[in-house]
Amino acid sequence: MHPDGPQGPGDSHEPLRPRSPEFRAAAEALRGLRQDLFHDAFAYRPLPRKEHAGRVLRRLKGRKREYAAWSRHATVAAGGALAMLIGWVDGQGGAVGLVTGLLALIPVLLTLVRPVGAFWLSLAATTVTVIVGTTYSDWPWLPSSFVSHLIVLTVVAIRTRPRTAAWMWLLTAAYGFLAETVFSWDRYYTNTAPMTVFSAILLLAVTVWHIRRQAEEEVTAQQTVTAHERSRRTLLEERTTIARELHDVVAHHMSVVAIQAEAAPYRVENPPPELEKAFVTIRENAVAALTELRRVLGVVRAEDYEVPDAPQPTLAELDGLLANVRETGLDVEKTVTGAVRELPQGVELSAYRIVQEALSNTLRHAPGASARVEIGYVLGGLGLRIVNGAPPNPTLIKPSPGAGHGVTGMRERVTMLNGEMTAEPTRAGGYEVTVFLPVPAPSESGA
């Protein structure tokens, strides 16, 4: 009927009623059943070998380790062999025993390559076994098929997911109920109840294992993400600290440039206008650079950051640092080689901070050990070596949640100056930090 035409009694257009929650839940459940047990039920999914990351496998070597990788396959095969032996004995070793034994073995072995298909084959094998079998006291699962089906349920549940295990248990219970009510005939004993109870216990244990394993994987993933974020945050904090310290160094140089550019015209009698204009331009650029530096520092500065009153330290203040460290109980000595000379302020500051952080790590991770600071002035730059001995009493070492962050800060300073650094344990049980900071020759820097 056309929507604009007259409507009869049966043509009333009532609005479609929304599906009830119960209906949607049932439809979703049936959809899950189809997806888990019917869709590609006999898909090829071989059980992989056991990884070599386990504790037991790491201890094994050679062929033993290679054989242990197939331990899960061997366990399933042993379960199938047990079910086959039960069928053989139950059939009194004849042809019937051979058939029932094979019907118990094949579904178990099939779980290794086609797990969901093995469940359906187990139900079919159970039916055939009860028809050809000779034991009439058990219905519908003969002893061999009883053991075989429990093994199949367990292996398939381990290889799939908890929802699949629930569907297999329901279908197993439905199969047993149907066999009892419709096809029991004169059977005076049925074992559907034992099958239901034992399978429920096994599948519940597997489900708990699945949940625990998933929780462990989520915790491990979260810990990995947290460790990555912590490392990234530490790296950013170290870079911010370096930027704050270098701000004072650069600001000092720019201030000197501005002052010298302003005073230079007064040192020359009757300077030409071009020279005065050039100095004015230099001063304006220096002041503009200082303003931009203050803006950059405002971006990277923390809310609780306070501008230091004293200038940034250099290697000239290193003796004071060593004296403070000795007061804490650390026996440290300093050795200087080469011709001592004044280095760029950024190199001096970074070298001081590297020595400071290395000695702090010695106090934190090797209490009671002695340390040595070696400073080498060479033609191409500055060499540093900070080494400490093994802690005399390792029990005094307390766990530190920030372990490794000091090394990260040192690497950032070295990388900023295009230097090289190694930080590694020594054979004597101590720790050694070696750094080289390149310093261009005066002719190169002035070119």
Side-chain angles (χ1 to χ4, degrees), residues 7-301:
Q7 297 181 355
D11 294 334
S12 59
H13 293 280
E14 297 181 357
L16 295 177
R17 297 180 180 179
R19 302 294 187 182
S20 63
E22 294 80 3
F23 180 85
R24 291 197 298 268
E28 184 66 23
L30 293 177
R31 191 178 302 111
L33 172 62
R34 178 180 178 275
Q35 180 181 359
D36 292 342
L37 294 180
F38 288 93
H39 182 68
D40 289 338
F42 285 86
Y44 182 67
R45 293 176 50 199
L47 179 66
R49 296 173 55 189
K50 195 172 184 179
E51 297 180 357
H52 288 176
R55 296 180 181 178
V56 178
L57 289 181
R58 281 199 296 264
R59 299 176 182 176
L60 300 178
K61 296 181 180 180
R63 290 189 174 273
K64 292 182 179 180
R65 188 173 184 177
E66 187 71 20
Y67 294 152
W70 300 96
S71 59
R72 296 182 295 189
H73 301 73
T75 302
V76 175
L82 175 62
M84 180 179 180
L85 179 62
I86 294 174
W88 173 265
V89 173
D90 188 56
Q92 298 178 355
V96 174
L98 177 62
V99 172
T100 56
L102 291 176
L103 289 175
L105 173 65
I106 293 175
V108 175
L109 296 181
L110 191 63
T111 59
L112 298 175
V113 290
R114 305 181 192 275
V116 178
F119 167 74
W120 293 112
L121 182 62
S122 179
L123 292 180
T126 298
T127 306
V128 177
T129 300
V130 81
I131 294 175
V132 302
T134 57
T135 300
Y136 294 95
S137 60
D138 297 314
W139 180 269
W141 282 279
L142 268 63
S144 59
S145 57
F146 190 94
V147 175
S148 174
H149 193 67
L150 286 179
I151 296 175
V152 168
L153 289 177
T154 304
V155 176
V156 176
I158 292 175
R159 298 201 57 197
T160 54
R161 52 182 175 178
R163 190 178 70 178
T164 305
W167 283 122
M168 290 192 302
W169 184 82
L170 289 175
L171 290 177
T172 299
Y175 175 86
F177 177 78
L178 183 64
E180 283 188 3
T181 56
V182 180
F183 301 103
S184 59
W185 298 311
D186 296 332
R187 308 286 176 174
Y188 58 90
Y189 176 76
T190 60
N191 54 8
T192 299
M195 169 60 73
T196 305
V197 173
F198 282 121
S199 62
I201 295 174
L202 291 174
L203 295 180
L204 180 60
V206 173
T207 301
V208 172
W209 175 80
H210 269 297
I211 295 174
R212 181 179 179 181
R213 183 182 180 185
Q214 183 178 3
E216 291 177 351
E217 291 177 353
E218 292 177 356
V219 170
T220 302
Q222 186 62 36
Q223 289 177 347
T224 303
V225 173
T226 302
H228 176 74
E229 290 297 327
R230 186 186 298 114
S231 176
R232 183 173 177 271
R233 183 173 63 251
T234 301
L235 181 62
L236 293 178
E237 290 175 355
E238 293 294 339
R239 290 179 178 178
T240 302
T241 301
I242 296 172
R244 294 171 188 162
E245 295 176 350
L246 290 181
H247 166 268
D248 298 334
V249 176
V250 178
H252 170 72
H253 290 301
M254 297 305 299
S255 299
V256 172
V257 170
I259 294 173
Q260 290 179 347
E262 186 175 6
Y266 299 101
R267 297 185 178 183
V268 180
E269 186 178 357
N270 299 322
E274 294 81 4
L275 183 61
E276 291 184 355
K277 184 177 180 180
F279 281 119
V280 169
T281 302
I282 293 174
R283 181 182 181 280
E284 291 176 351
N285 290 334
V287 172
L290 279 173
T291 304
E292 294 300 327
L293 278 175
R294 293 190 183 96
R295 291 177 181 175
V296 172
L297 182 64
V299 174
V300 300
R301 179 182 296 162

Side-chain angles (χ1 to χ4, degrees), residues 319-348:
D319 290 335
L321 172 65
L322 298 182
N324 292 333
V325 172
R326 292 189 183 101
E327 292 179 357
T328 63
L330 177 63
D331 182 16
V332 56
E333 61 179 18
K334 184 184 75 169
T335 303
V336 180
T337 58
V340 179
R341 65 183 186 277
E342 184 178 356
L343 301 175
Q345 195 169 359
V347 176
E348 296 259 355

